[in-house]
Amino acid sequence: MGKPTGFLEIDRADRKYRPVEERLKHYKEFVVPLSEPEIKKQAARCMDCGIPYCHNGCPVNNQIPDWNDLVYRGDWKDAADNLHSTNNFPEVTGRICPAPCEASCTLNIDDKPVTIKTIECSIADRAWEEGWVQPLPPEKKTGKKVAIIGSGPAGLAAAQQLARAGHDVHVYEKNARPGGLLVYGIPDFKMEKDVIARRVKQMEAEGVTFHCGIHVGQDLSAKYLESKHDAVLIAIGSEQPFDFFAKSPGRNLDGLHYAMEFLPQQNRRNAGEPQKPKTNEISAKDKHVIVIGGGDTGSDCIGTSFRQGAKSVTQLEIMPMPPEKENKALSWPHWPLKLRISSSQAEGAKTEYSISTTGFTGEDGKVKKLHYTRVNSNLQPVKGTEGALDADLVLFAMGFSGPVETDIVKEFALPVVPRGRFKGLDATDRDYKLATSPKLFCAGDIRRGQSLVVWAIREGRQAAHAIDKFLMGSTVLPR
Ligand code: FAD
């Protein structure tokens, strides 16, 4: 701990955003990094508590007080090495993690946690700028071959760990570029995609082979992959969206779309990547947009709609408005339920709570109105509160139920439970195995259910540990 009195002397300061009117003109990141002296000051606020709750709050167990201390002392290289020892992609989590570490920071008792995420991002960005992030190919190859299906954060983290352990790693991805939701779901304004591309390059130099544009189960049989590899990791995410309005009046009108039909189109446009064949391009330009669902995906739809030139954006959330401030005595050091205004919401969206959609009406086959009722705290309709909102584009961002139940899931006859996980496994299972074959493993959203990038990275790392142990009898890969 560099400065024992830091937390008493220095106020919390965090990164600011560029002004709304400026950032809405483009799809680039708009977070303004703190200066180096300011980052060092912020790192000095870490108390190095006897029990660092932030370690536990962080799913990859980042050694936060250690690198805060190193940054305070100006030892950025060691800080970067320390950070990479627990997290394969800290420049990703430094940008888009909701930072459960900050919720569990002891200084959060007073609402002024250490700006851990900002410090993490600075360390990771600096490591890239200084050329400290280099490929780490293995000294020896093991002769074992591993196939990874899916290249989201879980698949990527596992691939990097396994390649560094000397295995011949092949990643199969149905999209044109690796990265999963990091590339096709999360908008560029939250994270520009060269952040992923340079990691992919690093991994290729470490011996990972990416096979993109291959839909396993359709273009290539999963059983074939199993027969040709010593282990197979399934990391295909949770891509089946919930649709609570399947039977609602007007559901077949034009202009109603899942978030993940809308968001990837814009990311592809930004990258100059052609849309998928037979894509109907969706645009929010000059439209009244309604986003149903109050989470990250909903926020991404808002920010993208504004950048496309929406006339208005309204977000509907069935749950009541959370309290502005949590009851720390009940919640700390856990993730609290409290009102959070995302940067996209702050760009001018109107958010309505305790509201439920009852149907849609339109003209000439196109949606024009969304009908709603207010609901009580038991989510039951309140009579006399019905109404309608102008709606030219409605985006469903209500979460994901699990894998798309075609291809691999059918091929291996994997039993899927409603919230996305494979039956018989739960998030506490430490072998990451699938009971149907000793060679089969799974990780990420497919195993945990819809979750966070930082959890997917952890799952990928731990699956790699389990696979290396299965292949070699023992492993030195960290859990
Ligand atoms: P995914 O990232 O979904 O990757 C799975 C990959 O498998 C995909 O590339 C897919 O194309 C591929 N695949 C699937 N089936 C096949 C097949 N048969 N053959 C070949 N390839 C296949 N989390 C955060 O922490 N912060 C955020 O800001 C955030 N924002 C989000 C925004 C959106 C719009 C969404 C939808 C999610 C967001 N999340 C966020 C959640 C986070 O992105 C996921 O939890 C995480 O990406 C899961 O990682 P994964 O590797 O398990 O799966």
Side-chain angles (χ1 to χ4, degrees), residues 95-98 149-156 172-175 177-182 184-187 190 214-218 235-239 259-260 263 296-298 300 400 407-408 443-447 449-457:
R95 284 175 167 73
I96 49 134
C97 190
I149 310 175
S151 68
L156 289 181
Y172 293 84
E173 168 56 54
K174 66 178 155 73
N175 281 315
R177 287 174 291 156
L181 289 170
L182 300 177
Y184 289 98
I186 293 169
K190 271 169 61 182
I214 294 185
H215 194 141
V216 178
Q218 291 180 13
I236 57 175
S238 176
E239 297 191 310
M260 281 303 291
L263 295 171
D296 269 339
T297 306
D300 294 347
F400 301 83
D407 46 60
I408 307 172
D445 276 7
I446 185 67
R447 197 181 87 102
Q450 186 203 357
S451 187
L452 295 175
V453 169
V454 67
W455 274 109
I457 295 173

Side-chain angles (χ1 to χ4, degrees), residues 32-338:
V32 186
L34 293 185
S35 66
E36 179 175 344
E38 189 57 59
I39 289 281
K40 285 170 95 169
K41 270 169 70 183
Q42 291 303 310
R45 294 186 66 242
C46 179
M47 304 198 311
D48 194 8
C49 329
I51 299 173
Y53 294 96
C54 54
H55 277 207
N56 238 24
C58 172
V60 290
N61 306 120
N62 277 339
Q63 299 168 145
I64 294 159
D66 298 44
W67 41 258
N68 277 334
D69 184 39
L70 289 163
V71 166
Y72 171 68
R73 293 171 194 281
D75 193 348
W76 289 81
K77 170 78 172 64
D78 277 357
D81 289 346
N82 187 312
L83 181 52
H84 280 97
S85 74
T86 54
N87 185 349
N88 295 68
F89 315 124
E91 68 281 13
V92 172
T93 43
R95 284 175 167 73
I96 49 134
C97 190
C101 53
E102 291 191 21
S104 61
C105 173
T106 302
L107 289 178
N108 188 36
I109 290 180
D110 201 16
D111 281 327
K112 289 178 186 145
V114 175
T115 48
I116 300 170
K117 177 173 160 182
T118 293
I119 297 168
E120 177 185 37
C121 200
S122 299
I123 298 170
D125 284 352
R126 176 133 183 202
W128 279 100
E129 281 157 27
E130 299 277 354
W132 297 330
V133 184
Q134 291 295 327
L136 298 172
E139 280 172 13
K140 276 198 313 216
K141 295 290 266 185
T142 61
K144 305 278 185 193
K145 235 176 139 182
V146 182
I148 297 181
I149 310 175
S151 68
L156 289 181
Q160 185 161 63
Q161 295 294 94
L162 288 165
R164 288 176 176 177
H167 305 303
D168 187 11
V169 179
H170 292 261
V171 178
Y172 293 84
E173 168 56 54
K174 66 178 155 73
N175 281 315
R177 287 174 291 156
L181 289 170
L182 300 177
V183 165
Y184 289 98
I186 293 169
D188 292 15
F189 56 80
K190 271 169 61 182
M191 185 174 63
E192 289 173 25
K193 302 315 171 208
D194 55 355
V195 166
I196 306 304
R198 65 189 177 185
R199 274 293 174 193
V200 167
K201 233 170 146 188
Q202 180 199 30
M203 290 170 66
E204 284 172 336
E206 290 170 342
V208 178
T209 310
F210 289 94
H211 306 267
C212 289
I214 294 185
H215 194 141
V216 178
Q218 291 180 13
D219 305 326
L220 184 69
S221 129
K223 287 266 187 208
Y224 173 78
L225 279 186
E226 189 193 15
S227 70
K228 294 286 176 197
H229 293 82
D230 298 294
V232 177
L233 174 66
I234 303 176
I236 57 175
S238 176
E239 297 191 310
Q240 185 68 53
F242 280 117
D243 183 356
F244 299 115
F245 307 115
K247 294 188 182 142
S248 301
R251 177 64 183 86
N252 57 350
L253 288 164
D254 272 358
L256 311 182
H257 297 280
Y258 295 118
M260 281 303 291
E261 291 173 327
F262 174 66
L263 295 171
Q265 289 191 5
Q266 188 57 52
N267 286 10
R268 285 194 171 95
R269 263 176 228 124
N270 296 344
E273 183 189 322
Q275 302 294 345
K276 284 194 197 163
K278 296 189 199 148
T279 295
N280 276 333
E281 297 219 18
I282 309 165
S283 170
K285 190 162 174 42
D286 297 329
K287 291 185 179 157
H288 292 292
V289 179
I290 310 266
V291 177
I292 306 182
D296 269 339
T297 306
S299 274
D300 294 347
C301 289
I302 295 172
T304 303
S305 297
F306 278 132
R307 281 162 183 75
Q308 291 185 355
K311 226 184 259 173
S312 71
V313 184
T314 307
Q315 184 180 32
L316 308 184
E317 170 57 57
I318 194 168
M319 301 303 286
M321 186 162 132
E324 276 186 30
K325 198 167 156 29
E326 71 273 32
N327 180 344
K328 294 271 194 244
L330 291 177
S331 63
W332 184 86
H334 301 294
W335 183 252
L337 175 71
K338 69 172 189 179

